[in-house]
């Protein structure tokens, strides 16, 4: 008889179960004796009981070899090793605990805890990685002062780094040396970091607003010094911006950033020692696109801003993650908007919310920005917590205004600096500082899903009254059936037929343009409206909701020209495109031909030819919604029809505007490369023109020529993307040439891997499989894997969803391999499977079968377990 395997099912934690810690750790001294396969760590902690009676000390630990335990310097034997750590019995109310553990950094493919990246050692502790270094109270509400001594071979690892200030160093026999660091700010374990290696260092200094000097150091792999300048500039800009806009100053004498090649996420805000995915540090004209530069600025800013929103005030528990992430994303978005183009930044942030974040809300992992139930914390570093979390902060900013909002920030720091806080603490500070009632607003923290706001308008010429009826409802989400009305800041503007703004009045009194929508249904009446106006709504995307309103083509074309702010003009263009995409999907499904009225083409031609507009903004106006975003408009997604319609829309616009696109393409050629905003804006529009022109007869010639003449990666990639998307003849030669030139550089090759993944050709999967044996590919490197596999599975819907299920089988193979080596990365790649219910029955059945296969994997990691089971249960 077959034996039942005794699998322990992963258990969930609930926000409601939070309990204050029974002990706290005030100080910890760490000593690392670094060796590739056997690193010893001695942790000496000062521990105090907080509970009022004797209780065992329960420490977290994962994958550790325990060497010894001492209490107050004496060997201690009254402890038990458990599945989740170490329980120490009979300890006094206040004592010193010494624990020695051993780990194997070289075998650590999870990239969590202490691991090797390239030749060096580094750590990643958020969220729960510190327990893979030593047994500890690995929870964010235990804040300790850290002292860290790092010992390693001097020749191989000349730089030994940790948090805080370097206080001592020395040489040992056998060619080893040591450095000691001290971080004066108490911090939770997730902010601990250690790096050891050989680097090139870019140095600079920054003088803070109070006149203190801060040493700035960026560590990159040897030979990469010429790629660190933009990161340094961005760091200095971040420090300055946080002083000017938020009044926040840096607090240590040194700020270090290390770029590593093996990293699960973008970057990590460890106190005084940020560890970055090299993708968000390394850039020069030859290797990085303008988008890469923008990513570096945003992520350098993001991690820097965490020093106050995350580190000085941290999270009480991981359910509060959005407290630091939503707020810090809001801050980095504001930073990029203040330094660059606000409308372009807003447009791109909104695209992420309306696309992938709304998609998350529709899937089985749907959760509020403050989740209630978590199995694997790493699964909750989501678009909802980060991007929707930022929208929630932005809504408070809209409701309070900049001044009140900054008063709220000040109060928040006064109350919570040096402590671990909750989301509610933040809202309370905003409420107390402004006197604005946020009681209903708080529902944004507990309610999941995307609200739908339905609007009807009506104009009465006789009474000159314009009536706006606003209804809101939120469709049920996984595990949350009942939904309540939310407090929605609803920003509107009215225009008369000449495009002038109509002042909003109610009973003769001026009213604010941000309406407080708080009920399921509300009517807003405006009087003294002389003629039927055109209404612009949800301006600046004032709330993360779906807007339903029956705009006519004429109104949308009018708003594309007359709306006062650029975001609203872009949005009107998007609504117009959406109308005709939907209509043509229907036509294609009924076997009819694609159709687009000349008036729609003319509206976009008008934008293209408007010389008063910022070229970067025109480029956004002309960017069509992605196939994934379109998919989100349907209950049942027809990937093939959507692909056909989006492609035809592009081709039709290209042929109808070919002359204008060509003329602008030629005019915008630049003689000298620069990364100024102006130069980037011109490249953006020129390359958007190229992406259209690729669909015309001249396309192949243009893309081939641009590739050959390009002196920068932006133009090179634009030529290659155009060739890839349109299947141009020059594609093969470009791909071969690029691969030959860059095989030695994985970071640059990622761009090539992405193109292979997104290749619309019928044999895309075969190419992707072949690409896995490319010399630069490595399934153990998350950047490589994401570039090739995620771009195919998540961003090449037609090929991934091939009817024969071949794409699905491929993803299962990859997930099976990564489940063992790096489940955190696997858990991100599985996302396309979770949406299986949105496809036709045949595809649903195929994807479901793959999910079932995965659910039966031996040693299924918690990360995948949580998602697979939710998807199957839903
Ligand atoms: N706190 C990091 C940030 O948002 C996120 C992060 C980096 C992370 N590495 C991680 C989260 C590993 C979980 C696991 O900036
Ligand atoms: Zn963050």
């Amino acid at each position: 008889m077959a034996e039942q395997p005794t699998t322990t099912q992963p258990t969930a934690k609930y926000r409601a179960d939070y309990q204050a810690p029974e002990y706290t750790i005030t100080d910890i001294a760490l000593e690392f004796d670094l060796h590739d396969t056997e690193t010893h760590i001695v942790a000496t902690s000062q521990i105090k009981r907080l509970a009022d009676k004797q209780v065992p000390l329960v420490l977290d630990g994962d994958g550790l070899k325990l060497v010894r335990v001492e209490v107050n310097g004496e060997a201690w034997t009254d402890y038990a090793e458990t599945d989740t750590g170490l329980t120490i019995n009979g300890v006094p109310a206040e004592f010193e605990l010494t624990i020695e553990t051993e780990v194997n950094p070289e075998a650590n493919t999870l990239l969590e805890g202490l691991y090797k990246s390239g030749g060096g050692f580094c750590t990643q502790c958020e969220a729960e990685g510190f327990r893979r270094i030593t047994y500890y109270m690995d929870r964010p509400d235990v804040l300790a002062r850290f002292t860290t001594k790092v010992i390693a071979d001097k020749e191989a690892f000349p730089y030994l780094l940790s948090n805080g200030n370097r206080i001592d160093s020395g040489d040992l026999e056998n060619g080893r040396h040591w450095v000691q660091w001290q971080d004066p700010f108490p911090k939770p374990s997730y902010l601990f970091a250690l790096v050891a290696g050989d680097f090139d260092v870019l140095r600079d200094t920054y003088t803070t607003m109070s006149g203190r000097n801060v040493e700035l150091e960026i560590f990159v792999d040897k030979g990469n010094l010429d790629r660190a300048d933009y990161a340094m500039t961005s760091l200095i800009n971040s420090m300055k911006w946080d002083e000017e806009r938020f009044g926040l100053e840096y607090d240590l004498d040194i700020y270090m950033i290390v770029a590593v090649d093996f990293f699960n996420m973008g970057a990590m805000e460890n106190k005084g020692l940020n560890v970055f995915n090299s993708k968000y540090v390394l850039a020069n004209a030859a290797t990085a696109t303008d988008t890469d530069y923008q990513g570096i600025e945003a992520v350098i800013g993001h991690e820097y801003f965490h020093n106050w929103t995350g580190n000085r005030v941290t999270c009480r528990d991981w359910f509060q993650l959005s407290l630091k992430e939503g707020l810090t994303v809001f801050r980095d978005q504001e930073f990029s908007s203040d330094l660059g183009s606000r409308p372009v930044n807003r447009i791109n942030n909104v695209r992420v919310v309306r696309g992938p974040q709304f998609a998350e809300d529709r899937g089985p992992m749907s959760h509020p920005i403050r989740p209630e139930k978590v199995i694997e914390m790493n699964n909750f570093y989501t678009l909802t917590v980060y991007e929707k979390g930022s929208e929630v902060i932005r809504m408070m900013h809209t409701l309070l205004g900049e001044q009140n909002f900054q008063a709220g920030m000040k109060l928040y720091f006064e109350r919570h600096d040096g402590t671990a806080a909750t989301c509610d603490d933040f809202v309370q500070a905003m409420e107390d500082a402004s006197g604005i009632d946020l009681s209903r607003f708080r529902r944004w923290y507990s309610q999941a899903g995307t609200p739908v706001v339905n609007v009807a308008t009506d104009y009465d010429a006789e009474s000159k009254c314009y009536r706006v009826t606003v209804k809101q409802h939120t469709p049920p989400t996984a595990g949350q059936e009942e939904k309540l009305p939310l407090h929605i800041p609803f920003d509107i503007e009215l225009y008369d037929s000449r495009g002038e703004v109509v002042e909003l009045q109610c009973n003769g009194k001026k009213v604010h343009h941000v309406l407080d929508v708080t009920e399921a249904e509300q009517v807003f009446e405006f009087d003294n409206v002389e003629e039927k106006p055109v209404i612009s709504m949800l301006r600046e995307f004032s709330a993360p909701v779906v807007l339903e309103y029956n705009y006519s083509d004429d109104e949308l074309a009018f708003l594309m020209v007359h709306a006062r702010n650029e975001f609203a003009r872009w949005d009107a263009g998007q609504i117009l495109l959406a109308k005709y995409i939907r209509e043509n999907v229907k036509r294609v499904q009924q076997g009819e031909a694609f159709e687009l009225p000349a008036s729609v083409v003319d509206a976009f031609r008008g934008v293209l030819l408007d010389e008063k507009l910022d070229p970067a903004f025109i480029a956004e106006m002309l960017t069509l919604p992605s196939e994934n975003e379109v998919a989100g408009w349907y209950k049942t997604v027809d990937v093939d029809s959507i692909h056909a319609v989006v492609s035809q829309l592009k081709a039709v616009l290209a042929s109808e505007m070919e002359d204008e696109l060509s003329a602008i393409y030629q005019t915008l050629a630049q003689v000298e490369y620069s990364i100024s905003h102006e130069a980037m804006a011109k490249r953006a529009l020129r390359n958007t023109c190229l992406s259209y022109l690729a669909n015309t007869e001249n396309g192949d010639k243009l893309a081939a020529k641009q590739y050959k003449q390009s002196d920068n990666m932006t133009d090179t990639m634009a030529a290659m993307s155009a060739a890839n998307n349109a299947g141009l003849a020059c594609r093969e030669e470009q791909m071969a040439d690029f691969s030959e030139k860059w095989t030695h550089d994985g970071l640059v090759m990622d761009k090539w891997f992405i193109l292979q993944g997104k290749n619309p050709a019928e044999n895309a999967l075969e190419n992707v499989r072949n690409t896995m044996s490319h010399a630069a590919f490595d399934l153990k490197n998350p950047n490589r894997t994401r570039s090739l596999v995620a771009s195919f599975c998540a961003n090449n819907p037609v090929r991934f969803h091939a009817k024969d299920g071949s794409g699905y089988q491929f993803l299962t193979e990859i997930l099976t391999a990564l489940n063992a080596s790096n489940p955190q990365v696997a858990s991100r790649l599985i996302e396309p499977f979770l949406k299986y219910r949105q496809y036709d029955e045949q595809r649903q059945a195929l994807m479901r079968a793959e999910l079932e296969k995965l659910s039966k994997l031996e040693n299924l990691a918690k990360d995948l377990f949580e998602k697979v089971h939710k998807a199957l249960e839903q």
Side-chain angles (χ1 to χ4, degrees):
M1 207 174 76
E3 213 172 307
Q4 261 325 91
T6 48
T7 47
T8 38
Q9 292 249 316
T11 47
K13 278 192 180 157
Y14 294 82
R15 179 171 74 89
D17 291 346
Y18 174 80
Q19 297 222 309
E22 292 175 317
Y23 287 86
T24 195
I25 302 174
T26 56
D27 297 84
I28 174 170
L30 286 159
E31 186 176 305
F32 287 78
D33 195 10
L34 292 175
H35 293 276
D36 286 355
T37 55
E38 283 172 30
T39 285
H40 279 242
I41 301 120
V42 181
T44 307
S45 304
Q46 309 305 320
I47 303 187
K48 266 191 196 146
R49 196 177 73 207
L50 301 175
D52 48 19
K53 58 176 198 309
Q54 223 286 321
V55 283
L57 172 67
V58 180
L59 301 177
D60 305 296
D62 178 17
L64 299 170
K65 197 190 240 179
L66 181 62
V67 180
R68 67 187 159 104
V69 181
E70 285 171 14
V71 169
N72 289 329
E74 306 273 334
W76 195 261
T77 51
D78 193 3
Y79 65 80
E81 288 183 72
T82 67
D83 277 355
T84 57
L86 191 65
T87 302
I88 307 179
N89 301 305
V91 294
E94 202 170 331
F95 63 103
E96 180 179 281
L97 175 69
T98 305
I99 291 181
E100 183 172 343
T101 50
E102 184 191 313
V103 299
N104 181 348
E106 196 160 277
N108 183 356
T109 58
L110 268 55
L111 314 186
E112 212 177 4
L114 177 68
Y115 64 94
K116 291 214 69 186
S117 171
F121 289 91
C122 68
T123 57
Q124 172 55 42
C125 294
E126 187 176 6
E128 298 179 329
F130 192 72
R131 65 188 62 183
R132 295 170 47 77
I133 292 172
T134 187
Y135 291 99
Y136 197 71
M137 295 180 75
D138 191 13
R139 43 188 289 168
D141 57 353
V142 171
L143 279 70
R145 277 177 296 268
F146 279 65
T147 313
T148 307
K149 183 172 176 181
V150 190
I151 308 164
D153 183 82
K154 190 168 183 173
E155 205 182 310
F157 310 102
Y159 292 98
L160 305 177
L161 314 175
S162 191
N163 318 87
N165 303 310
R166 196 183 146 129
I167 53 169
D168 205 358
S169 62
D171 287 327
L172 301 167
E173 60 250 44
N174 311 328
R176 293 174 74 79
H177 70 144
W178 59 274
V179 176
Q180 191 159 23
W181 295 82
Q182 186 175 51
D183 182 358
F185 293 94
K187 65 168 177 286
S189 50
Y190 83 87
L191 290 172
F192 169 78
L194 173 155
V195 172
D198 193 3
F199 302 100
D200 278 342
V201 193
L202 180 64
R203 295 174 209 272
D204 210 322
T205 58
Y206 181 78
T207 308
T208 68
M209 59 186 184
S210 71
R212 276 190 314 101
N213 272 342
V214 181
E215 303 297 322
L216 310 178
E217 300 184 330
I218 298 183
F219 298 80
V220 297
D221 278 358
K222 291 234 143 203
N224 278 338
L225 204 56
D226 63 338
R227 300 193 198 181
D229 295 325
Y230 197 72
M232 184 63 87
T233 303
S234 301
L235 175 58
I236 293 169
N237 288 341
S238 306
M239 297 178 89
K240 198 160 177 316
W241 180 87
D242 215 12
E243 292 180 350
E244 288 171 354
R245 173 94 186 255
F246 279 78
L248 297 171
E249 185 177 1
Y250 187 60
D251 53 9
L252 283 167
D253 301 329
I254 181 166
Y255 195 93
M256 296 173 281
I257 290 175
V258 186
V260 301
D261 289 329
F262 285 73
F263 202 69
N264 280 344
M265 304 266 287
M268 181 61 214
E269 69 263 25
N270 318 298
K271 185 82 188 187
L273 177 58
N274 290 179
V275 178
F276 269 61
N277 187 323
S278 53
K279 173 179 165 56
Y280 292 110
V281 174
L282 303 178
N284 64 26
T287 64
T289 63
D290 293 343
T291 311
D292 293 331
Y293 278 96
Q294 286 153 6
I296 289 169
E297 180 179 82
V299 178
I300 293 268
H302 181 95
E303 306 313 330
Y304 176 73
F305 304 140
H306 265 316
N307 190 55
W308 278 96
T309 50
N311 301 2
R312 289 290 288 257
V313 181
T314 192
C315 301
R316 186 192 72 174
D317 56 76
W318 289 119
F319 296 98
Q320 317 295 327
L321 180 62
S322 202
L323 172 70
K324 73 176 177 84
E325 296 304 347
L327 178 54
T328 304
V329 171
F330 171 76
R331 278 153 52 69
D332 85 55
Q333 290 177 351
E334 284 299 292
F335 167 61
S336 296
S337 299
D338 283 347
L339 266 64
S341 160
R342 180 165 288 271
V344 169
N345 274 288
R346 188 66 188 135
I347 287 165
N348 284 304
N349 297 333
V350 170
R351 279 205 181 100
V352 174
V353 179
R354 279 190 188 152
Q357 197 282 315
F358 283 6
E360 202 162 87
D361 280 343
R362 286 190 299 272
M365 277 292 288
S366 160
H367 53 280
I369 62 168
R370 183 186 56 201
E372 299 291 349
K373 176 188 175 191
V374 166
I375 291 179
E376 170 52 62
M377 190 52 215
N378 285 331
N379 281 342
F380 288 84
Y381 288 76
T382 59
L383 292 156
T384 300
V385 167
Y386 276 62
E387 309 299 321
K388 184 178 178 182
S390 165
E391 293 302 318
V392 170
I393 302 290
R394 186 175 295 282
M395 285 191 282
M396 282 188 265
H397 185 268
T398 302
L399 291 169
L400 271 65
E402 169 76 2
Q403 224 184 344
N404 274 329
F405 183 86
Q406 290 299 347
M409 290 297 302
K410 202 164 160 248
L411 187 58
Y412 172 66
F413 290 122
E414 271 166 31
R415 287 180 179 170
H416 304 292
D417 186 14
T419 73
T422 63
C423 295
D424 202 52
D425 290 330
F426 182 83
V427 180
Q428 194 64 50
M430 287 291 156
E431 198 166 49
D432 292 346
S434 66
I436 290 172
D437 178 8
L438 296 173
S439 46
R440 183 155 289 190
F441 185 85
R442 282 180 171 80
R443 286 180 186 162
W444 283 103
Y445 282 90
S446 50
Q447 192 160 292
T450 310
V452 177
V453 172
N454 179 283
V455 177
T457 57
D458 135 72
Y459 179 66
D460 181 29
E462 206 148 307
S463 61
K464 296 185 177 164
C465 175
Y466 187 65
R467 191 178 301 124
V468 181
T469 306
V470 183
K471 294 183 196 160
Q472 61 159 309
H473 78 278
T474 304
T477 54
Q480 198 181 52
E481 288 298 314
E482 302 299 324
K483 302 288 181 181
L484 299 166
L486 296 159
H487 184 170
I488 296 171
F490 196 64
D491 190 343
I492 68 162
E493 202 154 71
L494 305 182
Y495 300 100
D496 68 17
S497 53
R498 289 163 302 142
E500 297 294 322
V501 178
V502 179
E503 190 181 77
L504 300 178
Q505 294 183 3
C506 190
N507 300 322
K509 270 206 295 237
K510 194 176 174 224
V511 296
H512 192 55
H513 59 91
V514 179
L515 310 180
D516 284 297
V517 172
T518 54
E519 306 297 330
E521 182 167 349
Q522 264 164 289
V523 180
F524 298 88
E525 283 185 344
F526 303 102
D527 34 50
N528 298 322
V529 181
E530 297 297 329
E531 59 177 312
K532 185 178 174 212
V534 177
I535 183 166
S536 167
M537 283 177 282
L538 204 64
R539 295 171 73 246
E540 300 293 346
F541 195 56
S542 60
V545 303
V546 169
L547 175 66
E548 288 181 350
Y549 181 68
N550 252 330
Y551 273 117
S552 70
D553 284 14
D554 285 347
E555 287 172 317
L556 292 168
F558 176 93
L559 288 173
M560 282 171 73
V561 178
H562 294 293
R564 248 206 314 188
N565 69 338
E566 286 162 297
F567 179 84
R569 298 165 75 166
W570 171 79
D571 210 12
Q574 292 293 299
I575 299 170
L576 187 58
L577 289 173
K579 256 178 112 163
Y580 285 95
I581 291 171
R582 281 177 197 273
E583 203 163 302
N584 278 294
V585 167
K586 238 186 265 159
R587 296 180 66 84
V588 166
Q589 285 170 337
Q590 290 162 0
E592 293 166 30
F594 181 93
E595 255 179 24
L596 190 68
S599 59
V600 175
V601 178
D602 287 340
F604 285 93
R605 194 194 322 273
V607 172
L608 181 59
L609 296 178
D610 189 340
E611 284 174 0
K612 295 187 300 299
L613 296 175
D614 172 8
F617 174 71
I618 300 176
E620 298 301 341
M621 287 290 299
L622 293 176
T623 301
L624 303 180
S626 70
E627 290 171 36
N628 281 340
E629 189 178 339
V630 175
W633 306 340
Y634 295 92
K635 216 172 138 66
T636 304
V637 178
D638 177 350
V639 278
D640 300 300
S641 301
I642 291 173
H643 178 72
V645 167
V646 175
S647 312
Q648 284 188 70
L649 176 58
K650 188 127 196 189
V652 167
L653 288 170
S655 80
E656 295 289 321
M657 305 193 294
E658 187 175 352
D659 293 345
E660 294 89 344
L661 288 162
S662 297
I664 289 170
Y665 178 78
Q666 302 304 342
T667 320
L668 290 177
Q670 296 179 66
V671 184
E672 230 172 281
Y673 173 82
S674 116
I675 50 163
S676 68
H677 282 286
E678 202 197 337
M680 286 197 205
K682 285 184 180 169
R683 277 195 291 277
L685 180 53
R686 184 168 194 258
N687 287 326
T688 300
C689 292
L690 179 65
S691 79
Y692 277 94
L693 291 167
N695 299 286
T696 67
E697 218 179 307
N698 258 332
D700 188 56
K701 231 172 58 198
L702 285 177
K705 191 169 156 206
Q706 175 159 325
Y707 180 84
K708 291 210 177 86
Q709 293 184 344
S710 168
D711 66 349
N712 67 82
M713 187 53 90
T714 303
D715 289 339
T716 300
M717 278 311 296
M720 291 180 78
S721 301
N724 194 56
N725 293 338
L728 301 178
C730 62
R731 178 186 184 274
E732 290 315 307
E733 200 191 318
Q734 290 177 354
M735 294 295 278
D737 181 70
F738 190 99
S739 151
E740 201 181 317
K741 196 161 163 197
W742 294 109
T743 294
H744 62 281
D745 191 323
L747 201 56
V748 177
M749 281 305 291
D750 282 340
K751 301 173 194 310
W752 190 89
F753 292 134
I754 290 172
L755 293 179
Q756 296 289 18
K758 291 211 257 192
N759 182 5
E762 217 154 318
N763 63 344
L765 177 57
E766 194 190 321
N767 283 338
V768 167
R769 284 186 181 278
N770 292 336
T771 300
M772 292 183 66
S773 41
H774 190 284
F777 190 79
D778 175 5
L779 196 63
K780 293 237 154 60
N781 183 303
N783 291 15
R784 297 307 92 78
T785 298
R786 271 192 294 261
S787 297
L788 185 64
V789 180
S791 68
F792 177 76
C793 299
N795 295 317
N796 193 349
V798 170
R799 298 303 161 216
F800 173 66
H801 290 287
K803 275 236 151 90
D804 62 2
S806 53
Y808 305 153
Q809 282 160 22
F810 170 68
L811 181 52
T812 298
E813 284 168 35
I814 300 285
L815 293 175
T816 305
L818 288 174
N819 175 60
S821 63
N822 190 333
Q824 206 179 321
V825 168
S827 193
R828 290 191 179 266
L829 293 177
I830 200 177
E831 285 297 322
F833 275 166
L834 306 187
K835 306 190 173 89
Y836 70 101
R837 284 173 204 266
Q838 293 164 25
Y839 296 85
D840 56 82
E841 273 174 38
Q842 194 189 331
R843 286 178 169 114
Q844 269 196 43
L846 288 168
M847 279 189 265
R848 204 184 153 91
E850 299 298 332
L851 282 168
E852 262 150 17
K853 245 189 265 169
L854 289 167
S855 77
K856 294 186 188 106
L857 271 187
E858 218 178 302
N859 297 321
L860 183 65
K862 267 165 67 177
D863 317 53
L864 287 181
F865 173 93
E866 182 168 37
K867 291 190 176 179
V868 169
H869 281 257
K870 272 195 185 165
L872 289 172
E873 282 159 17
Q874 190 193 11

